Each structure stands twice: as structure tokens, then as C-alpha cells.
Amino acid sequence: QPRPIHLVLMQNPLSPPPEPDAFLDEAVSELASRFRAHALVANRTYRLKKFPACFVGAELVAELVANGAASDSEDAVLQGNVLVDEGIVEHVTRDHPFKDEKLFYRFVEEGEHGAE
């Protein structure tokens, strides 16, 4: 079971405080792992165009809420948009932010510059 995002930000009171970027990096990394664990990634087709290794925003939102990884659909969308802003997730044609809709999204692999 993934830890809630607020637990990621908690620290041992005896340890020195981490740099602000370290907090953010750890929280974003855990959020990305949570999304990867729940996303049903598959090759998909829309209007005869093929989109490899992508997932449907609405399906992932429902899965995150059903498994307690998000408190509701609005929370799941907010989490998704954090990953979009961080360049970890993107709409397959880069036309939309993360939405609770039947839109295709993909994980941007490290070193990749996004959709072509």
C-alpha cells in the first residue's frame, strides 16, 4: 500500500532537515511510483492512429480512488497534474493537462524530451 503523500514529507525530528528540493524530489518520486503501479499501460488506437505504451486518464483516476491512493477524483487529477508539471507524465499529443477523461497519457522516460 502506498504511503500518503503527507507521510513522504514527514521526517525524523532528530535528523537534519533536508534541502527543500530533496523533499519535493522524494514526494514526486513516490507519486510517480504510485501512478506507475496503478496505470494500465497498453498500446492503444484512436481514429486509426496508434499510441504505444499509454494509459487512459479516467481509468487511472478511478483506480487511484478505488485503491485509496487518492481521496477523490479531484485529488487524483491534482496529483496527475503535478506529474505533468514535473515532466513525468504527458498527454500523448501534449494537448491537455491531466484530466479525469478518456484521454491517453504516457510516462516520459528519463532522458526523453516528450512527444514528437
Side-chain angles (χ1 to χ4, degrees):
Q1 173 110 357
R3 295 184 299 165
I5 196 87
H6 68 276
L7 292 180
V8 174
L9 299 176
M10 293 176 65
Q11 64 178 359
N12 180 340
L14 302 176
S15 359
E19 295 297 317
D21 287 346
F23 264 154
L24 183 59
D25 290 347
E26 184 179 344
V28 170
S29 178
E30 183 153 328
L31 185 57
S33 294
R34 187 178 308 160
F35 265 55
R36 286 183 187 277
H38 292 284
L40 180 58
V41 176
N43 297 331
R44 300 174 190 275
T45 303
Y46 178 72
R47 294 188 176 172
L48 302 177
K49 182 167 168 97
K50 294 181 181 187
F51 297 95
C54 60
F55 60 92
V56 178
E59 290 176 3
L60 180 56
V61 166
E63 185 70 19
L64 291 169
V65 172
N67 287 290
S71 57
D72 56 26
S73 60
E74 185 177 324
D75 181 38
V77 169
L78 289 172
Q79 292 178 33
N81 279 305
V82 167
L83 296 181
V84 169
D85 292 345
E86 291 294 320
I88 296 168
V89 168
E90 69 180 6
H91 178 258
V92 293
T93 60
R94 301 168 102 188
D95 291 331
H96 299 277
F98 189 78
K99 298 178 182 179
D100 183 8
E101 295 180 14
K102 291 182 180 178
L103 297 171
F104 297 161
Y105 296 88
R106 67 186 202 92
F107 292 101
V108 178
E109 299 303 322
E110 198 168 318
E112 202 177 357
H113 295 293
E116 299 167 17

